[in-house]
Amino acid sequence: MARAAAHCPGCQNPVLRAVDVDTGEEYLVDVEPVDEGHVDIWMAGGYAAARRHGAPSKRQPAHELHACAAVTPPPLPDPYADKPPADQQHGGWR
């Protein structure tokens, strides 16, 4: 695994630490990507950058935020909840 890989302090399962390129928030995500995931991950130089979507990512497969019964991170607000649909799809930068 790359240097971005870590272990969950609660369940000890492997997770990826990634920083959202839009908000700067750090996420713990499950290592294995899934269909209907909400977090896109890019690895570069051992570090992971992420972009979280309120709806399932159009770039499939994507990752999910790590959920652990022992360590429950505070819920993250959706930074795009009050944005127009075009911004929610991250299409404004094109």
Side-chain angles (χ1 to χ4, degrees):
M1 283 187 230
R3 284 185 287 164
H7 290 280
C8 172
C11 64
Q12 298 301 312
N13 286 334
V15 292
L16 291 174
R17 291 185 185 276
V19 177
D20 191 293
V21 296
D22 294 322
T23 65
E25 293 175 277
E26 184 175 288
Y27 300 138
L28 280 184
V29 297
D30 293 329
V31 172
E32 293 299 320
V34 294
D35 287 338
E36 301 295 314
H38 287 76
V39 183
D40 290 337
I41 299 287
W42 293 269
M43 300 292 291
Y47 295 96
R51 178 167 279 146
R52 184 166 65 98
H53 303 272
S57 171
K58 291 182 183 279
R59 183 174 170 265
Q60 296 292 347
H63 297 259
E64 275 300 316
L65 294 174
H66 180 65
C68 174
V71 178
T72 305
L76 298 172
D78 185 352
Y80 307 104
D82 59 347
K83 303 288 185 191
D87 289 347
Q88 290 183 19
Q89 297 300 320
H90 303 288
W93 56 270
R94 292 180 203 175

